[in-house]
Amino acid sequence: MRETLTRSLSGLVYILLLIGATLYSHDSFLLLFGMFLAVCTAEFCDLVNLEKPIPILLAIGAYALFAYFNTFNKTNDWLLTGAALFVSVRLILFLFSEKRQKVDRQSKYVYLIGYIILPVIILTKIPYEGTVFNPKILIGIFILIWTNDTFAYIVGKSIGKRKLYEKISPKKTIEGFLGGLVFTIIASILIAIYFINQPVILWIIFALIAGIFGTIGDLVESKFKRIAGVKDSGKIMPGHGGILDRLDSIIFVSPFIFLFYQILDYV
């Protein structure tokens, strides 16, 4: 009972902090996600035995350059998104690889940049309508991720029988994955109509991206933790683990959503 209460309070503080900082101002939003990036970088370094503090300084410097000082242009958008997606493909191959049970030193830096740093930077570029910052976009995407996680767990625990990828995440089931996806699509329709007033089809596509690639992102982090022999990426959130444990899905999703945004600009 006490553990459940601790987990609930910790999760509530995280949600309120994220929504509050995102809604309060653009500066508070950037500051919070800069802090998230620094913590995620430190946690990832611990998972793959990468010496600090150079990677953390690299992450903060890149974030300041491309997110806080907003040095993006269309060319940079495509280059950084392309680099992140290239690493995402490598991570998917890594996830399903039978041979590689450890991360070599070169790959550690590739994954640090393309799995942690670039996706968080890209995440800060998503909540815009043109040049206008719209925090509801990012909050809506987080709601999709939370909906998928919650209902995948509920459906999987209730009727799940067939394992999704047992050797990496024994508790995940195919029924849970499909149930989470269905409820995420329902949530996307409600968000589009009642929360953000944008085309329903746009948010259904976001739901599909969040449900499919969010699950892959969670599995990728689970593989890193399995190789490291740990349950959580950190201990900063009592009952939940680390910040990377909370953001693993959305940082994997962000390059795919941003790519979709860029494609829309050309349609």
Side-chain angles (χ1 to χ4, degrees):
M1 181 67 180
R2 184 176 180 181
E3 183 178 347
T4 302
L5 180 60
T6 300
R7 180 179 173 85
S8 299
L9 289 175
S10 177
L12 180 62
V13 169
Y14 164 73
I15 291 171
L16 291 177
L17 178 63
L18 191 152
I19 293 176
T22 303
L23 288 175
Y24 183 73
S25 73
H26 186 244
D27 287 339
S28 62
F29 158 70
L30 288 177
L31 178 61
L32 177 67
F33 277 84
M35 294 169 60
F36 281 167
L37 174 58
V39 176
C40 284
T41 301
E43 291 176 351
F44 182 76
C45 288
D46 290 337
L47 286 180
V48 298
N49 294 317
L50 199 58
E51 291 183 6
K52 297 173 283 190
I54 292 177
I56 298 175
L57 295 175
L58 172 65
I60 293 173
Y63 185 82
L65 182 64
F66 290 108
Y68 192 79
F69 291 111
N70 200 27
T71 57
F72 263 49
N73 55 45
K74 288 298 180 182
T75 301
N76 286 338
D77 285 354
W78 283 105
L79 289 174
L80 295 181
T81 305
L85 290 171
F86 171 77
V87 176
S88 296
V89 173
R90 277 195 57 168
L91 285 165
I92 292 172
L93 295 175
F94 169 70
L95 172 63
F96 294 106
S97 171
E98 298 287 343
K99 297 179 181 179
R100 298 181 61 183
Q101 295 302 317
K102 64 179 182 178
V103 185
D104 60 71
R105 185 169 181 81
Q106 181 181 3
S107 294
K108 290 177 184 180
Y109 282 99
V110 171
Y111 293 150
L112 171 67
I113 295 170
Y115 172 57
I116 304 293
I117 299 175
L118 294 184
V120 174
I121 291 172
I122 290 169
L123 191 62
T124 66
K125 300 301 171 182
I126 289 174
Y128 286 88
E129 289 181 303
T131 58
V132 179
F133 177 63
N134 184 354
K136 287 186 176 182
I137 295 173
L138 189 65
I139 292 172
I141 293 171
F142 266 101
I143 292 172
L144 294 181
I145 295 290
W146 296 333
T147 300
N148 186 65
D149 289 346
T150 301
F151 283 97
Y153 172 78
I154 293 173
V155 174
K157 191 171 184 180
S158 301
I159 62 172
K161 294 181 180 180
R162 293 170 292 179
K163 300 298 183 181
L164 183 64
Y165 195 21
E166 187 172 10
K167 72 175 185 178
I168 297 298
S169 187
K171 294 182 180 180
K172 280 185 168 54
T173 64
I174 294 174
E175 293 85 354
F177 167 72
L178 294 175
L181 194 60
V182 168
F183 279 97
T184 303
I185 291 171
I186 294 171
S188 72
I189 296 170
L190 297 176
I191 289 169
I193 296 173
Y194 297 107
F195 180 64
I196 201 165
N197 193 29
Q198 288 186 340
V200 170
I201 186 62
L202 174 68
W203 280 86
I204 289 177
I205 293 172
F206 285 166
L208 292 172
I209 295 173
I212 295 169
F213 291 102
T215 301
I216 294 174
D218 185 66
L219 288 171
V220 165
E221 200 222 357
S222 293
K223 181 158 187 177
F224 280 121
K225 290 189 291 187
R226 185 168 289 273
I227 292 172
V230 298
K231 181 182 177 182
D232 300 314
S233 67
K235 300 179 180 179
I236 196 170
M237 291 182 62
H240 290 271
I243 294 297
L244 185 56
D245 291 319
R246 297 300 93 212
L247 296 180
D248 57 355
S249 295
I250 195 157
I251 62 174
F252 198 84
V253 162
S254 66
F256 294 93
I257 288 182
F258 197 58
L259 174 66
F260 179 63
Y261 261 127
Q262 290 170 283
I263 292 172
L264 283 180
D265 286 340
Y266 288 90
V267 175

